[in-house]
Amino acid sequence: MTADPLRLAPLPREGLPPWAEPLLDPRAFWSGRIWYDTTLAHALPPGAEPLAARGTAVAVPLLRARGALHSLTTPYTQDWRPLGAPGLDEAGWRAAGAAFGALLRRRPPVILDTIDPAGPWLAPFLAGLRAAGIRAARFDHVGVWRETLPEGQGWEDYLAARPSALRHTVERKGRRAERELRFDLIAAPGPALEAGIEAFHTVRAGSWKPAEPFPDFDAALMRAAAESGALRLGVLARVADGTPLAAQYWIIDQGGARATVPKLFHLESERAASPGTVLTAMMVRRLIAEDRVRVLDFGRGDDAYKAHWVSGRVPLIGLVLADPRHPAGLAALLRQAAGRWLRRFR
């Protein structure tokens, strides 16, 4: 297949332009319009310039910051990939890689990250890059924790497969929560969602988590996801005074098959009552029983609690794409090779 030439085009901060629509998979939330529109509007570093290496069948979302090109990824990104027309086959992805490689010739290196190494687009895309003379040095980036549930598994069987300490906490603290706490699940736009977002931020402020780099992002994503039916926002509040003790939101994608939790918080002052664990149990139970999701995804990062809820870690990778004919490209490849040698030696 002949490579479709790519050219760099700006991406407006108000959202993806109309030309991107044919390249979007409606089942893939994390590389879809809602995700990119919210990211462009609410999560770009100051001075960064969003771009796309754009062709007819493929677009590669990028960010130019401090003179360097990177994938259009942020601390919130769960999965980055080029945007490809539905049905694009292996030959098409190879041609896209060759076209992207032609664009990178005699340029400084480009860094892509948050990539699932099992993505079917990746191997042919890299083959096309190699054919264009571009070398790709792989590095470990971040882990994602998820589990695919066996067919027909319900909540009780799921819980029975969790570590005993988690089961006992859910059962013991859950009984108290039924007496003293109120659980709200919000999925649609409206006043309840706005109250839920306010509770989410209240819990966030009282948690142990550091300050958000982009404070408006989560609320904007929740509102947009609610409009599409993809949001599940859970809030656990004390009945006596209405104080929210824990909050988290999940995104449903892949045609309803997967649920991903980008953020979950609890008040640090209420830690002894385990409101975060109780709320997670309530949310997972609803997701399994009512939404009938088959994949539970606890998102990026290696927080210890995630291994209690799901069994598998998927290592997401990064790539340094470099032209060895460019001085900076050659230096980047040598640094990557030296790093691999040192890790092996140690």
Side-chain angles (χ1 to χ4, degrees):
M1 177 179 288
T2 303
D4 178 23
L6 303 185
R7 60 182 179 84
L8 284 177
L11 290 177
R13 290 187 177 237
E14 58 267 24
L16 291 176
W19 58 255
E21 202 64 39
L23 308 180
L24 300 175
D25 179 354
R27 292 168 48 90
F29 183 92
W30 302 107
S31 56
R33 173 166 291 282
I34 290 174
W35 175 256
Y36 274 114
D37 285 359
T38 308
T39 298
L40 288 165
H42 297 282
L44 295 188
E49 179 187 6
L51 304 162
R54 174 192 172 190
T56 303
V58 169
V60 183
L62 299 167
L63 200 62
R64 181 183 282 135
R66 294 187 289 275
L69 280 178
H70 304 263
S71 51
L72 206 173
T73 50
T74 73
Y76 305 99
T77 301
Q78 302 288 332
D79 177 24
W80 181 92
R81 67 186 74 176
L83 306 179
L88 193 65
D89 59 11
E90 186 171 317
W93 280 115
R94 182 183 174 94
F100 191 46
L103 190 67
L104 301 185
R105 285 185 190 134
R106 294 180 173 81
R107 287 178 180 259
V110 172
I111 297 176
L112 311 178
D113 61 40
T114 326
I115 296 170
D116 185 345
W121 64 273
L122 182 58
F125 191 78
L126 291 178
L129 283 165
R130 287 193 299 272
I134 303 301
R135 299 293 174 261
R138 171 174 167 162
F139 61 91
D140 295 330
H141 182 233
V142 68
V144 169
W145 285 84
R146 67 171 66 117
E147 181 174 337
T148 299
L149 305 182
E151 192 65 35
Q153 186 181 71
W155 161 252
E156 297 298 337
D157 290 338
Y158 166 82
L159 184 62
R162 300 308 103 198
S164 60
L166 178 62
R167 293 200 312 272
H168 295 154
T169 298
V170 168
E171 292 163 0
R172 186 175 67 257
K173 300 297 177 68
R175 287 193 293 269
R176 178 184 175 189
E178 289 175 0
R179 299 190 305 270
E180 301 176 7
L181 305 180
R182 186 185 76 245
F183 168 53
D184 292 321
L185 179 67
I186 305 150
L193 175 60
E194 296 308 312
I197 289 173
E198 183 178 353
F200 176 88
H201 285 303
T202 297
V203 175
R204 174 73 179 81
S207 73
W208 58 269
K209 295 290 183 79
E212 288 288 346
F214 302 100
D216 299 332
F217 179 81
D218 287 305
L221 188 65
M222 282 190 268
R223 291 186 180 105
E227 291 283 351
S228 75
L231 177 69
R232 302 292 184 269
L233 169 61
V235 177
L236 198 62
R238 197 155 43 217
V239 171
D241 58 9
T243 300
L245 307 184
Q248 58 185 254
Y249 73 96
W250 294 70
I251 299 294
I252 307 290
D253 76 321
Q254 293 185 350
R258 180 174 69 180
T260 302
V261 55
K263 295 288 177 65
L264 66 174
F265 306 119
H266 64 265
L267 292 184
E268 190 63 19
S269 60
E270 302 291 327
R271 185 183 187 91
S274 304
T277 300
V278 171
L279 177 57
T280 300
M282 291 176 169
M283 292 295 289
V284 170
R285 183 172 188 166
R286 291 289 188 98
L287 290 165
I288 293 174
E290 298 185 16
D291 290 297
R292 301 194 179 281
V293 301
R294 304 318 307 158
V295 180
L296 294 174
D297 190 328
F298 274 73
R300 57 185 284 166
D302 288 318
D303 305 85
Y305 74 87
K306 295 182 181 182
H308 299 156
W309 292 99
V310 289
S311 60
R313 181 185 188 272
V314 177
L316 303 185
I317 65 167
L319 298 169
V320 178
L321 305 183
D323 185 344
R325 293 159 293 191
H326 188 285
L330 179 60
L333 292 172
L334 291 173
R335 282 196 301 273
Q336 290 292 316
R340 287 195 302 272
W341 183 86
L342 283 173
R343 286 190 295 274
R344 197 173 297 126
F345 177 77
R346 288 171 182 161

